[in-house]
């Protein structure tokens, strides 16, 4: 067999092997889990199914911060996720005067950009960022880039009982989140 035929047959197999290795290990790239640390505020990104607020409430009750910030995307007629998230936090025994919010966000980048005035107002130097695991590395990256002139330390504390691990590719929902997150990462690379 000459080298052209060998290359013709082996190159696709080699690329397929690389893709499989990358996909199986993708969770190591997408997930950034840091230990909680005493912070001036916990910022909960919009989205999820209530697990983000539940994690923020746990962190609040564990004493990591006495301030929670929620962001709001429009979800219906004059209804924002920040309103729903605030109600959920109150149900989880977080006092309403410990919760701050802002709205009209459509992306993680906007959440970072629109958080700046409130973070300044609250004199935040250390910020814990709460989101789902699959979203944690990109979220921290965006917040660090956006807040770099603010001298705010960003700590990624994703939902602890969220399942996005080495078996992420075996479940339809986690495959969907993983694929979406990769596309969003690529999009952000071109935007920054």
């Amino acid at each position: 067999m000459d080298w052209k035929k060998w290359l013709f047959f082996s190159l696709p197999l080699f690329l397929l092997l690389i893709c499989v290795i990358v996909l199986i290990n993708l969770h190591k790239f997408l997930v950034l889990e840091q230990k909680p640390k005493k912070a001036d505020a916990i910022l909960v990104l919009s989205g999820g199914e209530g697990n983000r607020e539940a994690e923020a409430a746990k962190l609040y009750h564990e004493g990591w911060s006495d301030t929670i910030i929620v962001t709001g995307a429009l979800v219906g007629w004059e209804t924002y996720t920040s309103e729903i998230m605030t109600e959920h936090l109150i149900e989880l025994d977080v006092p309403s005067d410990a919760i701050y919010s802002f709205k009209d966000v459509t992306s993680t980048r906007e959440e970072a950009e629109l958080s700046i005035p409130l973070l300044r107002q609250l004199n935040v130097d250390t910020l814990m960022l709460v989101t789902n695991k699959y979203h944690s590395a990109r979220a921290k990256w965006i917040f660090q880039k956006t807040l770099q002139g603010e001298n705010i330390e960003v700590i990624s504390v994703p939902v602890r009982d969220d399942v996005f691990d080495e078996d992420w590719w075996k479940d339809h929902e986690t495959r969907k989140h993983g694929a979406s997150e990769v596309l969003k990462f690529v999009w952000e690379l071109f935007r920054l």
Side-chain angles (χ1 to χ4, degrees):
M1 181 185 280
D2 70 356
W3 70 272
K4 289 180 184 177
K5 286 183 182 176
W6 181 84
L7 186 62
F8 178 77
F9 288 109
S10 60
L11 186 59
L13 290 174
F14 177 72
L15 291 175
L16 180 62
L17 178 64
I18 296 296
C19 286
V20 168
I21 291 169
V22 167
L23 287 175
I24 289 172
N25 290 291
L26 189 63
H27 69 285
K28 294 176 184 174
F29 173 71
L30 295 179
V31 177
L32 178 58
E33 203 166 3
Q34 298 175 295
K35 292 184 187 228
K37 176 181 177 180
K38 193 77 170 155
D40 299 310
I42 299 165
L43 193 144
V44 188
L45 297 178
S46 182
E49 297 174 350
N51 57 352
R52 296 177 185 186
E53 303 94 78
E55 184 65 34
K58 283 183 207 170
L59 292 166
Y60 175 87
H61 292 301
E62 290 169 1
W64 295 108
S65 182
D66 57 2
T67 301
I68 297 178
I69 302 169
V70 293
T71 68
L74 184 64
V75 291
W77 176 252
E78 296 182 19
T79 303
Y80 290 87
T81 54
S82 55
E83 297 162 350
I84 298 165
M85 293 165 77
T86 297
E87 288 177 30
H88 187 196
L89 285 165
I90 291 169
E91 285 291 317
L92 295 168
D93 296 322
V94 176
S96 61
D97 61 352
I99 305 167
Y100 295 82
S101 68
F102 58 94
K103 54 188 176 183
D104 291 326
V105 299
T106 60
S107 68
T108 305
R109 178 188 283 259
E110 283 186 4
E111 287 174 303
E113 292 169 349
L114 295 175
S115 72
I116 293 172
L118 183 56
L119 296 174
R120 285 178 183 160
Q121 176 189 332
L122 296 173
N123 296 313
V124 172
D125 292 321
T126 307
L127 179 69
M128 273 199 290
L129 199 57
V130 174
T131 188
N132 289 87
K133 285 184 180 178
Y134 61 83
H135 183 225
S136 58
R138 183 173 63 91
K140 179 173 178 175
W141 178 59
I142 290 170
F143 268 79
Q144 280 187 310
K145 284 285 202 184
T146 305
L147 301 177
Q148 68 187 17
E150 301 296 319
N151 294 319
I152 296 174
E153 179 185 6
V154 179
I155 304 155
S156 176
V157 184
V159 176
R160 289 175 265 191
D161 61 359
D162 191 16
V163 178
F164 193 85
D165 55 19
E166 65 271 359
D167 293 330
W168 73 273
W169 53 277
K170 293 180 180 179
D171 176 72
H172 174 72
E173 281 302 306
T174 53
R175 273 196 311 267
K176 186 171 67 173
H177 290 306
S180 172
E181 200 59 30
V182 168
L183 291 174
K184 290 174 182 178
F185 238 124
V186 170
W187 176 253
E188 282 300 326
L189 282 173
F190 288 106
R191 288 182 69 194
L192 286 175

